[in-house]
Amino acid sequence: MKSHQTAQTMKPATAAKKLGVYLPATPAEFQEGVVSRAELNELQANPPQWLQDLRQNGPHPRPVVAARLGVSIAGLARGGVTEALTTEQIEALRQDKPEWLEKERATQAEVRKESARIKEMKQGQ
């Protein structure tokens, strides 16, 4: 049996997801190693410059892109966005307001309204 005192480690992909960054854009030493829970906590508490830069400028993973654009990940795919985007690219989409983005934002707003209505209904029972 394994001891409960061994430090939990995670794959770089898991750590990148928890940090909200795009794994291929992280430094090689991050991608090639394993990350302990303590190291993850330290990265979150005191992000190094590379992590600060990635969070600010990207490229950002699709969940972050979707959140910044106010659409679902599926909505991004329907709009043809399948790759990570930089902050600059996200801003350009916001400025250009392509038809797919407006449609997906409206869809997402309806989904949120419906979710809130269902939650209210459940609380009222």
Side-chain angles (χ1 to χ4, degrees):
M1 284 202 298
K2 289 187 176 182
S3 168
H4 288 286
Q5 293 179 351
T6 56
Q8 284 187 330
T9 59
M10 61 193 80
K11 294 178 182 171
T14 303
K17 191 173 188 176
K18 290 180 181 290
L19 293 169
V21 295
Y22 185 56
L23 181 62
T26 62
E29 55 273 14
F30 181 86
Q31 293 180 42
E32 294 163 4
V34 292
V35 181
S36 70
R37 174 66 58 192
E39 289 168 328
L40 179 69
N41 291 342
E42 180 61 25
L43 286 169
Q44 290 172 324
N46 300 302
Q49 192 60 50
W50 65 263
L51 182 54
Q52 292 175 40
D53 293 345
L54 269 181
R55 285 177 166 170
Q56 183 174 353
N57 304 315
H60 304 286
R62 287 181 305 145
V64 173
V65 173
R68 288 187 177 194
L69 290 173
V71 300
S72 66
I73 294 173
L76 276 182
R78 285 189 292 269
V81 178
T82 57
E83 298 297 318
L85 297 180
T86 64
T87 299
E88 192 175 304
Q89 291 169 313
I90 293 168
E91 284 306 312
L93 280 172
R94 283 182 173 161
Q95 299 289 321
D96 296 344
K97 296 182 182 172
E99 187 178 326
W100 71 265
L101 180 57
E102 295 301 306
K103 181 180 177 213
E104 292 299 336
R105 279 181 163 170
T107 299
Q108 194 67 5
E110 286 300 315
V111 168
R112 281 194 285 270
K113 267 184 10 192
E114 182 63 10
S115 294
R117 185 188 70 77
I118 290 169
K119 186 178 176 182
E120 269 183 33
M121 204 172 75
K122 284 182 179 178
Q123 287 176 343
Q125 290 181 347

